């Protein structure tokens, strides 16, 4: 094109008259050719979207924030979730929206003298809370620490001896500390995570945009992201569910420990506590002076992890002796 | 009113037509960028289907090259003010018309920033949750919501300023000062704010000692005012070569002094950071040690950061020498500075913040092929946008496309003019 003595895009003066018609047609053909190629290339590059099967429903897309749902709207949402779980896992779950109880603020105490690092809590948690099995998402991380240090860089995350405990080590399970001053809540750009009156920091899985800022902010590595669609075998699903708790999560959102709120808000203990063979885990209401946790906080040598970051955890560690 | 709308539509249509006007070299360039953009789009579609599992990110290293590129590009966008300040505050006339090219670069950079943030989201379709009124915007609590406000605000400001100046030139009218000068001054402050707020995203996290340092903000500004003007120096030379737009040599030298000073400050601040980390030698040095020396046998980032430091120091030396008054040396220094700062700010700042994890675990990160393709796609798309912006702006600014020649077809040359002024 550019060698032609009379082109409309070569000279810059625009005074070509001879043969401009044929040029118009040529440039028209060229443009429509380019356009057609462009559209075809665009379609080809969008092709992987045909495999997109786990798109949320329109209802879910238009759903309001948890705190703005009326009870009737919440019932509709729960009905939608029942239908989705039924379709995907073949059973109708008993899902509720359990609210915090009045006069209750939960706290967790973990006895480092007793914990033997068996990781039963880790797996009980996965089973109770419908976490993805492939890839496996775990809320509790147990560190094997050499005695004489709290430098976690010296701890081991993937210890696998014949039997535990090993001499010269202590074991420190870490999960969400349900902070009073939670950095994760502060940084969330859409208020998809917040602290409930009973002290549990929850996530609305239908509101989270998956930016993972909370995951960067958490000093306890407590938050997990669904990098792919969670996979749970049908027979492993726990049908006892709560909206802010253990209902199945979609891909692309955050999740974390919520003190098993589907159990604890119904007066039961968290799954990790029930399974612990050593009785290292204590859970209860700090507002009740007679509760076991209140007693531990009064009488034992208690500390919190990373006190210097100012998060004010509701998760305490203590020693017996 | 109706006449104004009609006029404006004619202006937009003519600008849009200009996008498709050019010689074979232009078509080749645009076609190549479009192709790479589509490859990136294809990779992003795969990510949309399979989730962020197709990236190298993990729960331990939960941000990767997407956020690294985002951080770098916010700096590029902010650097547009380095052209604006000399013109509007110091009345440096050499740079006057070039301001628009800088601001157009800022617009393209912000578009890339928004794209990089979007591809990083797990549920991008829920972006509505961020829109005040419809969603639940955590403002002023979350630094990320501040970032959304300042980036979009900066985009609007720059689109307005460039759009208005170009449209005025099209109409052969002198732009009304009240309609753009106040915005120019707001944009200057705003440019500092976009990069400061982006630094605060990291600085505000008490659980990440590597980022929780007051010097990150100033370092971001210094590195941005190095890499941004360096990029503009290169862009202006490309403009000078492929169009017959006159870019005075003195303008490039003004930018050179900006890059020079900013690079000195940038290297100085980096040295401060390194001193504080290694001389103190507390447990908090772990991330810095991982970055510079490797930690417990893991050293994926060590070659990166030393490459960056090598490039930055070499660029600094070249810039300080009189030799960099010649374009060949200046270009070399600019390329080195851009690459060096991209590494230092991207891989060198975002990734080591996550290593070791808050529980002392070392999980290394490397971008996957799919992730890399998405990045290339976004860069190509941004360059494509910038190419189109220049393609529209240059003929209008030269007065070749204006209201008086409306009836005719768009007329403009893109072919190099052999006797165009050269350095």
């Amino acid at each position: 094109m550019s060698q032609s003595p009379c082109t409309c895009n070569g000279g810059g003066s625009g005074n070509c008259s001879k043969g401009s018609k044929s040029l118009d047609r040529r440039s028209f053909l060229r443009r429509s050719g380019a356009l057609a190629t462009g559209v075809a290339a665009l379609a080809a590059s969008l092709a992987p979207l045909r495999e997109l099967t786990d798109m949320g429903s329109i209802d879910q897309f238009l759903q309001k924030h948890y705190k703005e749902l009326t009870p009737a709207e919440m019932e509709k949402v729960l009905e939608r979730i029942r239908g989705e779980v039924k379709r995907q896992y073949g059973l109708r779950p008993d899902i509720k929206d359990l609210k915090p109880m009045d006069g209750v603020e939960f706290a967790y105490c973990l006895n480092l003298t007793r914990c033997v690092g068996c990781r039963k809590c880790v797996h009980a948690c996965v089973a109770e809370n419908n976490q993805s099995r492939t890839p496996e998402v775990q809320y509790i991380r147990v560190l094997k620490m050499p005695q004489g240090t709290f430098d976690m860089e010296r701890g081991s995350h993937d210890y696998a001896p014949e039997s535990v405990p090993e001499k010269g080590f202590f074991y420190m399970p870490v999960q969400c500390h349900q902070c009073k001053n939670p950095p994760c809540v502060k940084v969330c750009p859409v208020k998809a995570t917040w602290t409930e009156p009973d002290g549990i920091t929850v996530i609305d899985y239908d509101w989270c945009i998956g930016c993972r800022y909370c995951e960067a902010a958490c000093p306890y590595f407590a938050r997990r992201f669904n990098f792919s669609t969670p996979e749970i075998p049908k027979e492993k699903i726990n049908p006892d569910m709560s909206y802010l708790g253990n209902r199945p999560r979609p891909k692309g959102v955050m999740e974390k420990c919520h003190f098993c709120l589907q159990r604890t808000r119904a007066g039961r203990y968290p799954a990790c506590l029930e399974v612990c063979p050593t009785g290292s885990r204590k859970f209860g209401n700090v507002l009740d002076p007679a509760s076991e946790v209140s007693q531990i906080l009064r009488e034992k040598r208690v500390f919190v992890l990373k006190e210097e970051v100012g998060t004010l955890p509701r998760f305490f560690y203590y020693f017996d002796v | 009113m109706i006449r104004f709308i009609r006029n404006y539509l004619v202006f937009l249509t003519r600008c849009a037509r200009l996008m498709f006007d050019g010689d074979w070299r232009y078509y080749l360039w645009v076609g190549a960028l479009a192709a790479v953009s589509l490859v990136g789009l294809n990779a992003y579609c795969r990510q949309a289907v399979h989730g962020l599992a197709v990236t190298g990110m993990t729960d331990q290293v939960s941000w990767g090259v997407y956020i690294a590129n985002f951080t770098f590009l916010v700096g590029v966008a902010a650097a547009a003010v380095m052209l604006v300040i000399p013109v509007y505050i110091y009345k440096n006339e050499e740079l006057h018309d070039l301001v628009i090219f800088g601001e157009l670069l800022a617009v393209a950079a912000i578009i890339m920033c928004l794209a990089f943030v979007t591809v990083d989201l797990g549920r991008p379709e829920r972006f509505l949750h961020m829109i005040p009124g419809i969603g639940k915007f955590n403002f002023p609590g979350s630094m990320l919501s501040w970032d959304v406000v300042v980036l979009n605000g900066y985009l609007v400001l720059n689109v307005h300023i460039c759009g208005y100046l170009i449209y005025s030139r099209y109409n052969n009218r002198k732009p009304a000062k009240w309609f753009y000068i106040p915005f120019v001054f707001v944009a200057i402050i705003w440019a500092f704010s976009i990069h400061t707020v982006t630094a605060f995203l990291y600085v505000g996290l008490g659980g990440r000692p590597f980022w929780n340092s007051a010097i990150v903000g100033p370092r971001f500004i210094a590195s941005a005012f190095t890499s941004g003007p360096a990029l503009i120096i290169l862009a202006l030379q490309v403009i000078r070569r492929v169009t017959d737009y006159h870019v005075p040599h003195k303008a490039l030298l003004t930018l050179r002094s900006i890059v020079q000073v900013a690079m000195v400050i940038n290297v100085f601040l980096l040295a401060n950071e390194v001193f504080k980390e290694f001389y103190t030698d507390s447990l908090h040095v772990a991330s810095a040690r991982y970055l510079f020396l490797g930690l417990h046998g893991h050293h994926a980032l060590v070659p990166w950061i030393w490459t960056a430091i090598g490039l930055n120091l070499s660029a600094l030396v070249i810039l300080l020498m009189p030799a960099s008054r010649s374009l060949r040396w200046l270009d070399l220094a600019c390329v080195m500075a851009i690459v060096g700062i991209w590494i230092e700010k991207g891989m060198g700042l975002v990734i080591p913040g996550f290593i070791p994890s808050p529980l002392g675990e070392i999980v290394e990160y490397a971008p996957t092929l799919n992730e890399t393709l998405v990045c290339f796609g976004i860069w190509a798309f941004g360059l494509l946008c910038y190419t189109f912006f220049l393609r529209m702006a240059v003929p209008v600014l030269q007065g070749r496309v204006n209201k008086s020649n409306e009836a005719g077809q768009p007329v403009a040359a893109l072919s190099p003019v052999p006797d165009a002024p050269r350095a």
Side-chain angles (χ1 to χ4, degrees):
Chain A
M1 282 301 297
S2 52
Q3 300 97 314
S4 156
C6 180
T7 58
C8 285
N9 55 357
S13 53
N15 57 354
C16 45
S17 53
K18 211 166 54 170
S20 66
K21 249 191 185 150
S22 75
L23 260 171
D24 271 358
R25 192 159 64 210
R26 258 161 76 191
S27 77
F28 171 77
L29 282 175
R30 192 178 59 180
R31 273 179 208 172
S32 36
L35 196 68
T37 319
V39 170
L42 183 67
S45 61
L46 290 172
L49 288 181
R50 278 179 306 195
E51 291 170 53
L52 194 61
T53 48
D54 59 347
M55 276 284 281
S57 62
I58 291 288
D59 288 346
Q60 196 275 305
F61 180 69
L62 297 174
Q63 190 179 314
K64 287 192 275 187
H65 186 274
Y66 174 82
K67 291 187 181 174
E68 280 164 9
L69 290 170
T70 62
E73 284 168 334
M74 178 44 97
E75 193 34 58
K76 266 176 75 180
V77 169
L78 293 177
E79 197 47 43
R80 169 180 67 76
I81 296 171
R82 281 181 201 115
E84 281 168 9
V85 173
K86 173 92 176 116
R87 262 197 308 284
Q88 203 175 349
Y89 301 102
L91 90 177
R92 220 177 130 77
D94 177 19
I95 180 167
K96 300 185 199 73
D97 173 35
L98 283 172
K99 299 287 184 192
M101 291 181 279
D102 283 338
V104 172
E105 185 180 336
F106 291 123
Y108 210 116
C109 295
L110 202 142
N111 188 338
L112 288 180
T113 313
R114 283 181 171 231
C115 177
V116 294
C118 64
R119 292 205 188 101
K120 282 199 157 61
C121 50
V122 176
H123 300 291
C125 171
V126 170
E128 166 68 27
N129 288 306
N130 291 318
Q131 271 124 288
S132 172
R133 307 305 204 274
T134 35
E136 187 156 291
V137 173
Q138 300 171 345
Y139 295 164
I140 305 176
R141 194 41 88 85
V142 186
L143 274 81
K144 182 178 96 172
M145 302 287 295
Q147 278 176 3
T149 183
F150 258 105
D151 175 10
M152 285 186 276
E153 255 178 73
R154 298 180 58 194
S156 161
H157 291 250
D158 47 4
Y159 62 92
E162 290 278 297
S163 66
V164 285
E166 288 168 280
K167 229 179 147 45
F169 295 95
F170 71 97
Y171 298 87
M172 185 165 69
V174 185
Q175 60 208 73
C176 177
H177 279 27
Q178 318 290 358
C179 308
K180 254 187 202 146
N181 182 18
C184 53
V185 170
K186 188 159 69 181
V187 301
C188 176
V190 294
K191 299 188 184 177
T193 182
W194 65 91
T195 304
E196 294 261 288
D198 57 359
I200 302 177
T201 296
V202 292
I203 301 169
D204 184 350
Y205 313 119
D206 287 348
W207 194 260
C208 172
I209 60 171
C211 70
R212 306 186 299 293
Y213 197 10
C214 54
E215 195 167 28
C218 177
Y220 303 105
F221 185 55
R223 294 188 156 243
R224 298 292 181 273
F225 182 69
N226 285 287
F227 282 92
S228 48
T229 305
E231 277 179 35
I232 312 164
K234 278 181 183 171
E235 66 281 5
K236 294 276 173 65
I237 203 90
N238 173 11
D240 181 19
M241 297 176 189
S242 188
Y243 181 87
L244 294 173
N246 61 341
R247 71 183 165 105
R249 278 77 60 185
K251 87 164 180 257
V253 303
M254 298 303 308
E255 57 177 286
K256 66 172 198 68
C257 161
H258 40 77
F259 278 172
C260 285
L261 66 79
Q262 67 282 355
R263 296 167 68 107
T264 52
R265 281 182 180 177
R268 296 165 66 201
Y269 278 124
C272 51
L273 183 149
E274 270 185 6
V275 78
C276 179
T278 62
S280 311
R281 291 172 166 269
K282 305 290 178 191
F283 178 82
N285 179 9
V286 274
L287 301 182
D288 172 9
S291 70
E292 209 174 3
V293 286
S294 293
Q295 192 194 347
I296 291 168
L297 293 179
R298 268 197 311 273
E299 292 168 10
K300 297 285 185 180
R301 283 179 283 166
V302 175
F303 74 98
V304 294
L305 205 57
K306 301 196 185 189
E307 191 170 0
E308 74 278 9
V309 292
T311 47
L312 308 177
R314 290 186 177 90
F315 195 99
F316 302 88
Y317 295 92
Y318 68 103
F319 294 100
D320 256 348
V321 285
Chain B
M1 187 67 199
I2 291 175
R3 248 188 75 191
F4 167 75
I5 293 175
R6 197 198 138 264
N7 267 345
Y8 199 67
L9 286 178
V10 170
F11 164 70
L12 288 183
T13 329
R14 292 189 72 192
C15 282
R17 281 200 180 171
L18 279 173
M19 286 178 8
F20 297 98
D21 241 7
D23 62 8
W24 64 271
R25 277 164 295 203
Y26 175 75
Y27 267 85
L28 189 67
W29 170 245
V30 166
L33 288 180
V36 178
S37 307
L38 288 177
V39 170
L41 181 64
N42 182 257
Y44 179 64
C45 290
R46 270 199 298 278
Q47 179 186 305
V49 172
H50 300 290
L52 284 153
V54 300
T55 70
M57 290 185 271
T58 53
D59 278 319
Q60 285 84 359
V61 184
S62 50
W63 283 341
V65 277
Y66 294 158
I67 296 297
N69 275 303
F70 160 77
T71 309
F72 176 79
L73 285 165
V74 174
V76 171
V81 293
M82 279 295 130
L83 284 168
V84 179
I85 292 176
V87 171
Y88 289 98
I89 297 183
Y90 298 112
K91 311 288 180 207
N92 178 332
E93 291 304 315
E94 293 293 341
L95 292 174
H96 199 281
D97 273 359
L98 307 180
V99 165
I100 292 181
F101 299 142
E103 282 178 342
L104 289 173
L105 180 66
V107 172
I110 295 281
I111 291 172
M112 285 189 259
C113 286
L114 296 175
F116 272 116
V117 179
T118 308
V119 297
D120 191 60
L121 292 182
R123 309 288 313 187
E125 82 280 9
R126 293 186 188 166
F127 78 97
L128 290 172
H129 296 178
M130 278 211 250
I131 294 172
I134 306 173
K136 244 187 178 330
F137 196 50
N138 188 9
F139 190 84
S142 170
M143 278 300 124
L144 202 52
S145 60
W146 277 79
D147 224 17
V148 171
V149 171
V150 292
L151 285 178
N152 285 298
Y154 194 66
L155 180 64
V156 171
L157 277 171
N158 278 301
V159 167
H160 167 72
I161 297 168
C162 315
Y164 178 65
L165 290 180
I166 293 172
Y167 185 57
S168 299
R169 189 70 65 91
Y170 175 80
N171 282 319
N172 283 326
R173 269 201 313 248
K174 221 174 143 50
K177 280 213 153 97
W178 64 271
F179 201 56
Y180 79 101
I181 295 283
F183 295 103
V184 168
F185 282 94
V186 172
I188 291 175
I189 301 163
W190 208 284
F192 281 91
S193 85
I194 61 169
H195 217 29
T196 312
V197 167
T198 305
F200 285 179
L201 276 182
Y202 302 100
V203 174
L205 305 182
R208 306 269 174 195
F210 186 70
W211 294 340
N212 191 215
S213 151
I215 208 172
V216 173
R219 269 185 72 192
F220 269 28
I221 300 280
S223 60
F225 291 169
T226 314
S227 57
L231 207 55
I232 295 173
I233 289 178
L234 298 179
L236 288 177
Q237 290 179 66
V238 173
I239 293 170
R240 182 154 83 174
R241 196 149 297 191
V242 299
T243 72
D244 51 359
Y245 195 89
H246 176 65
V247 176
H249 192 62
K250 257 181 93 180
L252 297 178
L253 290 182
T254 309
L255 285 169
R256 167 182 169 265
S257 14
I258 293 172
V259 176
Q260 201 177 34
V261 174
M263 189 50 129
V264 172
I265 300 175
N266 182 43
V267 171
F268 171 68
L269 292 179
L270 177 68
N272 275 264
E273 183 88 82
V274 169
F275 170 79
K276 173 238 166 194
E277 294 281 4
F278 287 97
Y279 189 81
T280 315
D281 203 20
S282 73
L283 282 185
H284 287 168
V285 78
S287 294
R289 187 173 299 258
Y290 171 72
L291 175 63
F292 288 99
L293 306 169
L295 192 65
H296 305 307
H298 299 273
H299 14 58
L301 289 183
V302 176
W304 287 90
I305 195 67
W306 288 107
T307 309
I309 289 178
L311 288 171
N312 283 351
L313 289 179
S314 316
L316 178 69
V317 170
I318 296 174
L319 284 166
L320 289 178
M321 295 210 291
S324 61
R325 289 176 168 277
S326 88
L327 283 183
R328 205 178 322 150
W329 286 103
L330 182 60
D331 290 348
L332 178 68
C334 286
V335 171
M336 286 173 141
I338 293 166
V339 178
I341 286 170
W342 183 87
I343 297 174
E344 184 195 314
K345 237 167 142 174
M347 299 300 271
L349 180 105
V350 177
I351 315 300
F354 291 105
I355 302 170
S357 84
L359 298 187
E361 196 181 6
I362 300 179
V363 174
E364 294 198 288
Y365 163 85
T368 59
L369 175 65
N370 203 75
E371 204 174 356
T372 313
L373 290 178
V374 173
C375 293
F376 278 121
I378 294 175
W379 272 97
F381 181 70
L383 280 177
L384 187 64
C385 290
Y386 192 47
T387 306
F388 283 153
F389 295 159
L390 291 176
R391 185 69 195 92
M392 297 181 219
V394 169
V396 178
L397 291 176
Q398 286 176 322
R400 257 188 288 173
V401 172
N402 59 40
K403 201 161 156 32
S404 50
N405 61 16
E406 219 160 60
Q409 289 295 305
V411 280
L414 193 84
S415 51
V417 176
D419 56 354
R422 284 275 158 79

